[in-house]
């Protein structure tokens, strides 16, 4: 009996102590972690929408499993300059997450940024290099982005795939095309022009409010 | 005498019981996160931190923990330390935290830590446990750093992100891939065994002479 | 470990741990255990294999120029050098003249694109002989085909260089395009299935030195068969499985999947079937084991080609099955006649 009490006390004390310490550390660390994430997101949005000084987050639920989140970039006078959104999809090894900046008329890419990737180092992960990403500046997305191999792009909707990393290049292009199509479905152009951009985005709030 | 044995507890982790190469413990991080020297050292230091505090706490509590639930209690303590480390790294060093990915949380199941708790900390006072943790932890960090340096040098031509090999060097991409980890690991285990066996042979010859 | 003759031993009495004979002068064929009695010597077989590779080498020089020959020479020299160095360090008798290292070098060169850098060829050869063969204990002890292991290492080490192909000199396109795509890569990534079959049979396509010309390889293979050094089951079983299995997909959807003939003559299927599947050291010795070996390897090759991330799957299919050879040998060994039911 005594032993049972000892066992129970052991576990209760260890558990309670651990819980208390975790709570304390979490309350300090979590705002910083959220701030890091937000900083990363912001930086990538401003990178793909170079004219933007701020952005407004728009969300729309398309179905039970599908939620579209886009970021409408605005300049200093709070006029919309372009729309940014994340394009996810499978690459050679894992998810490739691309932040895409698109013009307001949904016709031309402004820039892209690779956020997450697990491609083969030295091969597929060259999609992060400027020489690949910069190709997407000004590329037309209608009817869709294409890639060609071994030679310079000929049409305004083409980019050149990385030699030896066709699958990774293909995945980036596919992700962009899918995400653009989804964007057009969720937010028709006309709807976007009606969005009130005068107010600052409430998403730019102290990060500690995000604690879940 | 006490000083000597303390030093022995520290020193054994550096060669005689160096975890990945002699004990073949902690191979998961050894293979998974050593594709650059910085990652290897960061992982090693994170493990060292967890190991040190796990040894201190478990050694201090060794008289109060019931035998039947000791493993459960140890795992909770180790998990606490690992979670704190994980949050600390995500808050302070986001790029390294991202590069190490799930391997920081996986320190919880790193057999070195539970192994030292079982084999050493629960039987010894706090001070020798600290010496043991420092020795094993530093040995582990050095092992991961060695792996990281070799793989980064051959795989990227650099060490600590400083380009060492010139344009003429065509990086061996295999070294950054998992296959390269196994090749380097096998090579290092062989090298450590070879050096030890030579040392032993020399010691034997000296003893006979 | 030293020279050992097994002339009186037969399959059932040779335990699996018995080291295969290494003596170049012994009247023995070198293979993984168990051992068969044979009157051929190792060098004789090996030199016949070298002879059988000559048509393929000649074809590669014809299609890709003299640099092809240079690559072959570099690989052979590097393989011989590594073999010598290892045998020297391990204080073993120097047996580089038995021809096995020459074959490894030639086969490795056959799997490389013509523009492959010399240092890479040397690195691959050192890995093939050093890690692929000598670390396991030398000829007869290696689990994996050394040439394929060297190629796999190079593939992982220099993924771009090993897949940077050029058009053969004989093609008109050779003038205006620097890099080319192999028929398999075109089928996989561009959906182009219209490479002329005749070009693939003759070798007038982009690809590795020895894999483009099916005719030259079949010539060599038939020579080896004529000499009786290869078992018809291995190459024909492998090719047959590839043809049959790919035909299933082709019949289901000819617009999407390439035809069985395409699969047979594209890429490394021919080279793999005649010179790598048939490797005496790394293929099973029992009849049932050989059938399992080639059928699974053939299916794997097609699966990798059609559904994998890589255009070519011959190399990995053979290496994968190499790993199962000891298991296949163990479990397909024929029962000793008259022995009681218990036999492990």
């Amino acid at each position: 009996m005594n032993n049972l009490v000892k066992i129970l006390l052991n576990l209760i004390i260890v558990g309670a102590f651990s819980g208390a310490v975790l709570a304390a550390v979490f309350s300090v660390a979590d705002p910083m972690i959220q701030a890091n994430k937000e900083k990363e997101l912001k930086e990538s949005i401003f990178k793909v929408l170079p004219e933007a000084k701020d952005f407004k987050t728009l969300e729309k639920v398309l179905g039970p499993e599908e939620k579209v989140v886009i970021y409408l970039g605005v300049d200093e006078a709070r006029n919309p300059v372009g729309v940014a959104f994340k394009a996810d999809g499978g690459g050679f090894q894992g998810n490739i997450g691309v932040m895409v900046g698109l013009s307001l008329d949904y016709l031309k890419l402004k820039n892209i940024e690779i956020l997450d990737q697990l491609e083969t180092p030295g091969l597929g992960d060259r999609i992060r290099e400027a020489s690949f990403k910069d190709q997407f500046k000004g590329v037309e997305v209608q009817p869709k982005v294409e890639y060609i191999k071994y030679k310079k792009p000929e049409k305004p909707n083409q980019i050149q795939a990385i030699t030896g990393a066709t699958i990774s290049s293909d995945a980036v292009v596919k992700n962009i095309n899918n995400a653009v199509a989804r964007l057009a479905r969720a937010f028709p152009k006309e709807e976007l022009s009606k969005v009130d951009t005068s107010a600052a985005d409430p998403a730019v709030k102290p990060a500690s409010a995000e604690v879940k | 005498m006490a000083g000597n044995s303390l030093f022995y507890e520290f020193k054994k982790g550096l060669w005689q019981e160096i975890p990945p190469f002699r004990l073949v413990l902690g191979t998961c991080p050894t293979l998974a996160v050593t594709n650059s020297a910085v990652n290897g050292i960061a992982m090693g230091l994170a493990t060292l931190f967890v190991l040190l505090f796990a040894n201190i706490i478990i050694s201090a509590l060794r008289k109060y923990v019931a035998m039947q639930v000791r493993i459960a209690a140890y795992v909770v303590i180790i998990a606490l330390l690992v979670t704190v480390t994980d949050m600390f790294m995500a808050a302070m060093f986001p790029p390294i935290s991202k590069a190490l990915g799930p391997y920081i949380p996986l320190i919880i199941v790193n057999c070195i830590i539970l192994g030292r708790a079982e084999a050493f900390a629960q039987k010894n006072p706090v001070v020798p446990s600290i010496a043991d943790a420092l020795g094993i932890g530093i040995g582990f960090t050095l092992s991961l750093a060695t792996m990281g340096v070799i793989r980064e040098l051959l795989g990227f031509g650099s060490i600590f992100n400083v380009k060492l090999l010139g344009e003429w060097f065509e990086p061996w991409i295999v070294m950054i891939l998992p296959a390269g980890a196994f090749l380097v690991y096998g090579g290092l285990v062989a090298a450590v065994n070879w050096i030890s066996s030579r040392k032993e042979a020399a010691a034997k010859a000296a003893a006979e002479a | 470990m030293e020279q050992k003759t097994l002339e009186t031993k037969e399959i059932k009495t040779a335990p699996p741990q018995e080291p295969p004979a290494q003596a170049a002068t012994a009247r023995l064929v070198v293979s993984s255990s168990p051992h068969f009695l044979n009157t051929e010597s190792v060098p004789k077989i090996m030199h016949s294999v070298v002879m059988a590779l000559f048509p393929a080498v000649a074809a590669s020089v014809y299609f890709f120029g003299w640099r092809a020959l240079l690559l072959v020479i570099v690989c052979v020299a590097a393989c011989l050098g590594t073999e010598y160095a290892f045998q020297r360090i391990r204080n073993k008798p120097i047996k580089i003249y038995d021809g096995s290292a020459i074959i490894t070098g030639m086969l490795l060169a056959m799997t490389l694109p013509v523009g492959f850098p010399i240092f890479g060829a040397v690195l691959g050869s050192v890995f093939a002989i050093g890690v692929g063969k000598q670390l396991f204990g030398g000829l007869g002890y290696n689990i994996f085909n050394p040439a394929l292991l060297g190629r796999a290492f190079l593939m992982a080490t220099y993924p771009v260089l090993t897949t940077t192909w050029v058009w053969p000199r004989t093609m008109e396109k050779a003038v205006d395009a620097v890099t080319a795509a192999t028929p398999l890569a075109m089928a996989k990534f561009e959906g182009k299935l219209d490479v002329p079959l005749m070009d693939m049979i003759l070798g007038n396509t982009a690809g590795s030195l020895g894999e483009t010309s099916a005719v030259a390889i079949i010539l060599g293979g038939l020579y080896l068969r004529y000499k009786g050094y290869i078992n018809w089951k291995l190459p024909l079983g492998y090719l047959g499985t590839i043809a049959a299995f790919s035909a299933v997909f082709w019949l289901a959807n000819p617009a999407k999947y390439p035809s069985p003939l395409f699969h047979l003559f594209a890429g490394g299927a021919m080279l793999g079937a005649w010179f790598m599947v048939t490797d005496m050291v790394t293929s099973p010795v029992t009849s049932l084991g050989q059938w399992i070996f080639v059928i699974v390897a053939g299916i794997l090759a097609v699966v990798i080609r059609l559904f994998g991330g890589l255009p070519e799957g011959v190399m990995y299919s053979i290496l994968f099955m190499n790993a199962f050879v000891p298991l296949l040998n163990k479990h397909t060994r024929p029962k000793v006649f008259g022995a009681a039911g218990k036999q492990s």
Side-chain angles (χ1 to χ4, degrees):
Chain A
M1 199 58 207
N2 230 353
N3 201 20
L4 188 66
V5 173
K6 191 181 175 189
I7 288 175
L8 280 176
L9 270 182
N10 266 184
L11 290 178
I12 291 170
I13 292 172
V14 166
F17 171 74
S18 303
V21 173
L22 267 190
V25 174
F26 184 78
S27 67
V28 179
D30 190 61
M32 297 168 80
I33 296 172
Q34 295 300 336
N36 284 336
K37 279 188 183 158
E38 189 141 329
K39 193 168 148 243
E40 203 183 8
L41 177 72
K42 255 187 177 165
E43 272 172 6
S44 67
I45 291 174
F46 292 148
K47 199 157 193 182
V48 297
L49 296 175
E51 305 100 327
K53 290 284 168 292
D54 197 3
F55 62 89
K56 198 170 167 59
T57 311
L58 303 174
E59 284 185 16
K60 195 171 244 183
V61 178
L62 277 190
E65 295 278 301
E66 213 182 356
K67 192 170 106 179
V68 181
V69 183
I70 65 166
Y71 310 96
L72 188 61
V74 293
D75 62 9
E76 272 148 353
R78 302 210 67 80
N79 295 318
V81 292
V83 53
F85 50 90
K86 209 177 161 200
D88 287 298
F92 186 61
Q93 313 221 328
N95 180 55
I96 299 183
V98 191
M99 183 60 84
V100 185
L102 188 64
S103 62
L104 284 175
D105 53 13
Y106 290 3
L107 283 181
K108 273 187 182 172
L109 293 177
K110 286 190 174 281
N111 203 350
I112 66 159
E113 177 66 22
I114 309 292
L115 296 182
D116 321 302
Q117 59 86 26
L118 297 165
E119 302 307 281
T120 317
L123 198 59
D125 81 340
R126 279 161 64 211
I127 56 175
R128 288 183 309 181
E129 286 176 7
S131 57
F132 179 73
K133 288 187 302 188
D134 288 352
Q135 293 187 85
F136 287 88
K137 280 182 189 161
V139 164
E140 291 180 9
V141 296
Q142 298 300 339
K144 63 176 189 173
V145 186
E146 287 170 356
Y147 65 90
I148 57 172
K149 293 170 67 172
Y150 310 125
K151 40 190 174 188
K152 290 270 163 276
E154 289 150 357
K155 294 187 216 144
N157 66 335
Q158 280 180 337
I159 59 115
Q160 186 184 354
I162 300 169
T163 309
T166 314
I167 296 174
S168 305
S169 314
D170 177 54
V172 172
V173 168
K174 256 191 203 142
N175 291 355
I176 294 175
N177 285 330
N178 292 343
V180 168
R182 212 174 52 156
L183 167 76
R185 224 167 53 226
F187 295 93
K189 270 180 261 183
E190 305 73 41
E191 195 178 310
L192 207 61
S193 57
K194 286 181 205 136
V195 173
D196 175 25
T197 54
S198 60
D201 193 344
V204 192
K205 63 196 165 194
S208 53
E210 282 248 353
V211 174
K212 285 167 207 143
Chain B
M1 192 62 203
N4 266 346
S5 78
L6 265 191
F7 183 67
Y8 169 76
E9 299 303 349
F10 173 73
K11 200 185 71 176
K12 71 179 190 293
L14 298 184
W15 179 264
Q16 204 179 332
E17 293 185 17
I18 191 165
F21 301 137
R22 294 306 296 272
L23 303 183
V24 198
L25 287 180
T27 47
C28 160
T30 308
L31 294 169
V33 294
T34 50
N35 54 7
S36 73
V38 172
N39 284 356
I41 287 181
M43 184 70 202
L45 291 178
T47 311
L48 172 62
F49 169 83
V50 173
L51 181 60
L52 180 60
F53 282 90
N55 259 16
I56 291 174
I57 295 174
I58 288 164
S59 159
L61 295 178
R62 71 186 186 281
K63 296 208 176 90
Y64 310 104
V65 176
M67 272 321 258
Q68 295 93 325
V69 291
R70 66 181 199 285
I71 299 285
Y74 296 166
V75 168
V76 172
I77 291 167
I78 294 167
L80 165 73
L81 292 166
V82 170
T83 314
V84 169
T85 314
D86 189 28
M87 286 200 275
F88 173 76
M89 290 186 94
M92 306 301 284
F93 310 108
I96 291 182
S97 166
K98 212 173 172 181
L100 297 181
Y103 293 102
I104 292 286
L106 277 176
I107 296 176
I108 295 172
V109 289
N110 188 322
C111 33
I112 294 174
I113 293 165
L114 200 57
R116 290 334 285 176
E118 274 282 294
F120 200 90
Q122 69 168 1
K123 298 176 195 152
N124 289 287
V126 174
V127 176
S129 295
I130 292 177
D132 176 69
L134 285 176
I136 296 276
I138 291 172
F140 184 65
T141 309
L142 288 178
S143 314
L144 262 61
T146 313
M147 292 273 296
V149 164
I150 295 175
R151 291 178 65 191
E152 188 178 345
L153 182 66
L154 293 176
F156 290 109
S158 62
I159 291 178
F160 296 110
N161 296 325
V162 180
K163 200 101 184 127
L164 284 186
L165 302 178
E167 281 300 308
W168 55 268
F169 180 72
E170 189 75 38
W172 299 15
I173 291 182
V174 68
M175 283 301 159
I176 328 167
L177 302 176
F182 281 98
L183 285 174
V184 174
Y185 185 53
L188 284 176
V189 170
V192 167
N193 275 337
W194 185 65
I195 295 171
S196 314
S197 68
R198 277 178 64 113
K199 262 188 174 174
E200 271 162 29
K204 213 173 168 190
E208 276 167 12
Chain C
M1 208 73 89
E2 291 310 306
Q3 301 195 356
K4 195 157 194 163
T5 46
L6 299 166
E7 284 169 85
T8 53
K9 297 211 176 179
E10 282 174 25
I11 175 168
K12 63 181 183 206
T13 53
Q17 305 90 320
E18 197 78 3
Q22 288 216 307
T25 48
R27 298 191 295 118
L28 281 169
V29 64
V30 170
S31 78
S32 64
S33 57
H35 310 288
F36 293 108
L37 187 65
N38 198 307
T39 51
E40 297 287 352
S41 71
V42 178
K44 203 169 156 199
I45 298 183
M46 294 297 180
H47 291 143
S48 297
V49 179
V50 173
M51 283 293 292
L53 274 167
F54 266 118
V57 174
S60 69
V61 173
Y62 172 74
F63 286 114
F64 296 108
W66 289 108
R67 199 169 191 286
L69 190 64
L70 177 69
L71 272 182
V72 174
I73 292 170
V74 166
C75 283
V76 169
C79 281
L80 286 173
T82 313
E83 181 118 321
Y84 178 80
F86 264 85
Q87 288 172 344
R88 192 68 198 264
I89 291 169
R90 294 180 66 222
N91 289 324
K92 298 271 168 196
I94 306 293
K95 284 185 227 127
I96 59 171
Y97 302 110
D98 66 10
S100 63
I102 299 176
I103 295 175
T104 300
M106 285 177 92
L107 283 177
L108 178 67
M110 290 287 102
T111 66
L112 298 175
V114 68
F116 201 73
I118 300 297
F119 64 83
V122 173
L123 181 68
S125 309
V126 171
F127 189 89
I129 294 289
V131 177
K133 189 164 139 195
Q134 294 295 342
L135 277 192
F136 286 99
L139 183 63
Y141 293 90
N142 48 306
I143 301 171
F144 299 103
N145 183 315
L148 279 179
L149 210 61
R151 160 75 195 185
F153 177 74
L154 287 178
M155 185 102 172
T157 303
Y158 300 129
V160 177
L161 291 172
T162 43
T163 50
T164 304
W165 318 100
V166 294
W167 298 114
R169 299 184 305 152
T170 45
M171 251 176 134
E172 283 169 23
K173 285 186 202 165
V175 188
D176 59 298
V178 187
T179 49
T182 61
L184 280 167
M186 279 195 266
K188 182 160 199 96
F189 298 122
E190 295 164 37
K192 279 185 198 154
L193 306 177
D194 58 352
V195 181
L197 196 60
M198 211 53 213
D199 277 353
M200 290 201 294
I201 293 174
L202 290 176
N204 200 16
T205 56
S208 300
L209 294 184
E211 67 178 27
T212 58
S213 179
V215 167
I217 292 160
I218 294 173
L219 264 179
L222 289 179
Y223 171 73
L224 282 185
R225 176 72 206 113
Y226 163 75
K227 293 285 247 173
Y229 295 149
I230 57 178
N231 184 331
W232 61 270
K233 247 180 268 164
L234 292 168
L236 294 188
Y238 185 68
L239 292 172
T241 309
I242 289 182
F245 193 62
S246 59
V248 175
F249 295 97
W250 179 63
L251 290 173
N253 188 354
K256 189 171 172 211
Y257 297 111
S259 72
L261 283 176
F262 177 92
H263 277 287
L264 288 183
F265 294 114
M270 280 296 160
L271 186 68
W274 291 102
F275 289 97
M276 284 151 182
V277 168
T278 53
D279 180 358
M280 292 174 177
V281 179
T282 58
S283 59
V285 290
T286 63
S287 181
L288 177 62
Q290 288 174 343
W291 279 118
I292 297 175
F293 179 81
V294 291
I295 289 174
V296 179
I299 291 175
L300 269 176
V302 175
V303 167
I304 295 174
R305 277 182 177 186
L306 293 180
F307 308 107
L310 297 164
E312 175 60 300
V314 169
M315 170 180 83
Y316 289 121
S317 76
I318 299 174
L319 280 177
F320 185 83
M321 287 314 290
N322 280 165
F324 286 91
V325 166
L327 203 66
L328 288 174
N329 277 342
K330 186 171 178 222
H331 289 281
T332 59
R333 220 182 319 162
K335 289 227 184 332
V336 177
F337 182 73
K342 226 172 91 179
Q343 219 220 352
S344 58

